[in-house]
Amino acid sequence: MTLEIISAHEITFKGEANSVTLPGELGSFTVLKNHAPLISVLVKGKIRYTTPAGAEESLDIEGGIADVNNNVISVCIY
């Protein structure tokens, strides 16, 4: 899957990820390959993702929105 994390000022991350966990308004949720399309509001918390090499990364966010479609996860954060 492709993960894109952007803010108004920069592209924070763009690359491949095996799994992505996002802090949704109703609780954290994980996106894996071939996930159903969705749009979600994100709240303050951590985005956690695993790279194809197995590295686990995380990023603190204040909130944002996420769009999942055709194995592309686009996250706009603030």
Side-chain angles (χ1 to χ4, degrees), residues 9-54:
H9 307 289
E10 66 182 338
I11 297 172
T12 304
F13 177 83
K14 183 173 183 178
E16 294 299 307
N18 289 342
S19 68
V20 181
T21 301
L22 301 159
E25 197 170 41
L26 298 175
S28 292
F29 62 97
T30 300
V31 177
L32 301 172
K33 188 175 179 181
N34 297 322
H35 196 284
L38 70 81
I39 296 175
S40 178
V41 174
L42 303 178
V43 297
K44 185 176 182 174
K46 286 188 182 287
I47 296 175
R48 300 176 197 272
Y49 57 95
T50 304
T51 66

